[in-house]
């Protein structure tokens, strides 16, 4: 895992994994990943009972955990600024089981129910990480940390995802669309009585121009709402680690952990084009994507179709402006097997530069949930 070698936030380290196919019976796939960095350590194991693109019914089982003393947090909502950054202790673990099926025997409709068991523990602000303090945050942002600090939190997330995959080649698409919608319900298994509902939708489309040159468009939206356990008419506060984040996993140009809120919206468009081919076997592609997005306390009350390129407050009487970002990437393509062998992206957006290794192709075989 090249991204584990060096990180401004997580430090130096090493990461890698082992994969085993056909373990027990034909079609299975098992992977174990380990990442050891100065300020972040994680381990994950996943097991597919069969290839989701080859079997009508298949299952996924996964388990993993991580620990860090530098979980960055900038506050909640659309008008956070880099100066509000703090670093938090955070331990997390989860176990998940999913069942995937094609009701009509094709990738036109994919149904995937699943359940996740979650464990989280936040030790609060890490004073040795050179971060600021909770005093620099607004009241809502402080509450999301305070409600999470000092006690282990347990919960179960139950949901179902519907997807459609109409791309010509999932690992290196040139035309078609991939879209998903998901609904999840969270129930606390501790004394907090917290309940949440999450609704998410995402889509990516490819429009061929000439040869391997393709226009790429991307959109994502997430809504999160909590219950009212104490009956005071106000939604219960949600610990920061349960909230969606607009970062490099969602839209490749945004910095990790930078924009967090109950709701997230982002759209992007760009082009993927070949630079050079070698003997018709390998090629070098470039990718340029521009994004607009933000995180919101309530997208219906704060969204406005304005764009702001300046740092500072993004929220005024007219709503919260969208934040722009730019992704620049390159990838080595195996033209015979039509898949990216090595690829990476650099994002320029809110909070500075970020490095993302996630490809622009999304996959039904992605073992890690995008949102908890």
């Amino acid at each position: 895992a090249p991204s584990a070698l060096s990180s401004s936030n997580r430090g130096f380290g090493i990461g890698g994994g082992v994969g085993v196919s056909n373990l027990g019976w034909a079609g299975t796939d098992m992977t174990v990943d380990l990442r050891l960095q100065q300020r972040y350590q994680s381990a994950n194991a996943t097991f597919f009972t069969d290839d989701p693109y080859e079997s009508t019914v298949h299952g996924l089982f996964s388990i993993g955990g991580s620990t860090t003393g530098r979980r960055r947090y900038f506050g909640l909502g659309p008008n956070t600024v880099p100066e509000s950054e703090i670093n938090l202790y955070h331990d997390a673990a989860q176990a998940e089981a999913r069942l995937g099926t094609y009701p009509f025997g094709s990738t036109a409709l994919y149904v995937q129910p699943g359940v996740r068991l979650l464990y989280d523990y936040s030790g609060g602000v890490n004073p040795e990480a050179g971060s600021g303090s909770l005093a620099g945050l607004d009241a809502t942002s402080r509450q999301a940390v305070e409600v999470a600090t000092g006690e282990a939190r347990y919960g179960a997330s139950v949901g179902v995802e519907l997807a459609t995959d109409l791309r010509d080649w999932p690992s290196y698409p040139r035309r078609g669309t991939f879209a998903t919608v998901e609904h999840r319900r969270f129930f606390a298994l501790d004394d907090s009585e917290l309940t949440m509902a999450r609704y998410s939708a995402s889509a990516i489309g490819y429009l061929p121009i000439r040869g391997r040159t393709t226009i790429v468009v991307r959109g994502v939206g997430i809504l999160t709402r909590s219950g009212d356990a104490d009956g005071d008419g106000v939604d219960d506060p949600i610990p920061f680690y349960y909230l969606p984040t607009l970062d490099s996993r969602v839209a490749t140009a945004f910095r990790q952990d930078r924009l967090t809120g109950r709701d997230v919206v982002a759209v992007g468009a760009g082009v993927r084009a070949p630079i050079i081919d070698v003997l018709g076997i390998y090629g070098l592609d470039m990718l340029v994507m521009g994004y607009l997005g933000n995180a919101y306390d309530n997208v219906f009350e704060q969204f406005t179709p304005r764009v702001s390129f300046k740092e500072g407050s993004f929220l005024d009487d007219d709503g919260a402006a969208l934040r722009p970002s730019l992704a620049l990437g390159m990838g080595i393509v195996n033209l015979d097997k039509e898949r990216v062998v090595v690829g990476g992206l650099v994002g320029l957006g809110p909070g500075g530069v970020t490095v993302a290794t996630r490809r622009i192709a999304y996959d039904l075989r992605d073992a890690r949930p995008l949102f908890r």
Side-chain angles (χ1 to χ4, degrees):
S3 61
L5 297 177
S6 178
S7 167
S8 60
N9 186 51
R10 296 176 174 178
F12 296 99
I14 189 170
V18 175
V20 181
S21 298
N22 304 318
L23 180 65
W25 61 87
T28 66
D29 185 77
M30 180 176 181
T31 60
V32 178
D33 299 298
L34 182 67
R35 183 178 292 247
L36 301 174
Q37 294 178 258
Q38 290 174 291
R39 296 179 289 272
Y40 180 85
Q41 300 83 45
S42 69
N44 296 277
T46 63
F47 179 77
F48 279 99
T49 63
D50 212 332
D51 188 332
Y53 285 101
E54 300 293 337
S55 62
T56 303
V57 180
H58 48 270
L60 165 70
F61 303 93
S62 66
I63 187 170
S66 64
T67 180
T68 182
R70 293 196 64 171
R71 201 291 192 182
R72 288 182 296 198
Y73 180 71
F74 296 82
L76 304 180
N79 68 329
T80 57
V81 294
E83 291 74 20
S84 65
E85 176 182 356
I86 60 176
N87 290 288
L88 304 167
Y89 294 103
H90 184 209
D91 300 332
Q94 71 174 32
E96 180 175 20
R98 296 187 228 158
L99 178 67
T101 182
Y102 300 97
F104 304 121
S106 75
T107 57
L109 179 62
Y110 180 65
V111 180
Q112 184 175 231
V115 59
R116 299 173 195 147
L117 299 178
L118 304 174
Y119 162 84
D120 290 90
Y121 176 81
S122 173
V125 177
N126 181 358
E128 299 178 356
S131 65
S133 67
L134 289 177
L137 302 174
D138 61 84
T140 301
S141 297
R142 287 197 304 272
Q143 189 179 41
V145 175
E146 292 167 346
V147 74
T149 301
E151 293 185 10
R153 303 292 292 263
Y154 302 87
S157 176
V158 181
V160 61
E161 177 185 20
L162 304 179
T164 180
D165 191 351
L166 302 178
R167 297 170 295 179
D168 56 347
W169 194 258
S171 60
Y172 188 73
R174 300 180 187 179
R175 67 176 72 241
T177 57
F178 177 80
T180 68
V181 293
E182 184 177 25
H183 173 55
R184 303 200 69 85
R185 299 284 300 185
F186 173 88
F187 305 92
L189 301 178
D190 48 43
D191 296 333
S192 66
E193 299 183 357
L194 176 67
T195 61
M196 289 187 299
R198 172 161 297 150
Y199 309 87
S200 62
S202 66
I204 187 166
Y206 302 87
L207 178 64
I209 301 300
R210 181 182 178 184
R212 299 208 316 272
T213 302
T214 304
I215 292 177
V216 183
V217 292
R218 168 93 171 119
V220 61
I222 309 105
L223 302 176
T224 307
R225 297 294 180 266
S226 61
D228 180 15
D230 54 11
D232 62 357
V234 179
D235 287 352
D236 294 333
I238 301 175
F240 67 92
Y241 42 67
Y242 289 150
L243 291 169
T245 299
L246 177 57
D247 60 11
S248 57
R249 293 197 64 226
V250 179
T252 49
F254 290 92
R255 184 181 176 189
Q256 187 179 25
D257 300 326
R258 179 63 184 86
L259 299 170
T260 301
R262 289 180 176 242
D263 304 339
V264 165
V265 170
V267 294
V271 61
R272 186 190 66 202
I275 298 177
I276 189 173
D277 290 351
V278 179
L279 302 176
I281 301 174
Y282 286 95
L284 181 64
D285 282 5
M286 72 170 185
L287 174 70
V288 180
M289 290 282 293
Y291 286 93
L292 296 174
N294 213 335
Y296 304 88
D297 302 311
N298 187 318
V299 66
F300 300 108
E301 297 177 356
Q302 297 174 329
F303 178 82
T304 182
R306 292 185 297 111
V307 179
S308 178
F309 290 85
K310 66 178 182 178
E311 283 289 0
S313 178
F314 286 74
L315 182 63
D316 55 30
D317 292 339
D318 296 326
L322 293 164
R323 300 187 181 215
S325 62
L326 178 67
L328 304 173
M330 299 187 72
I332 298 176
V333 184
N334 184 321
L335 300 176
D336 181 45
K337 296 183 178 180
E338 293 191 309
R339 65 185 180 92
V340 177
V341 179
V342 178
L345 289 151
V346 175
L348 307 173
V353 178
T354 187
V355 177
T357 56
R358 185 179 179 87
R359 292 176 296 161
I360 201 67
Y362 291 78
D363 202 325
L364 292 175
R365 290 169 290 203
D366 190 352
R368 296 188 180 184
L370 198 58
F371 310 109
R372 302 180 72 201

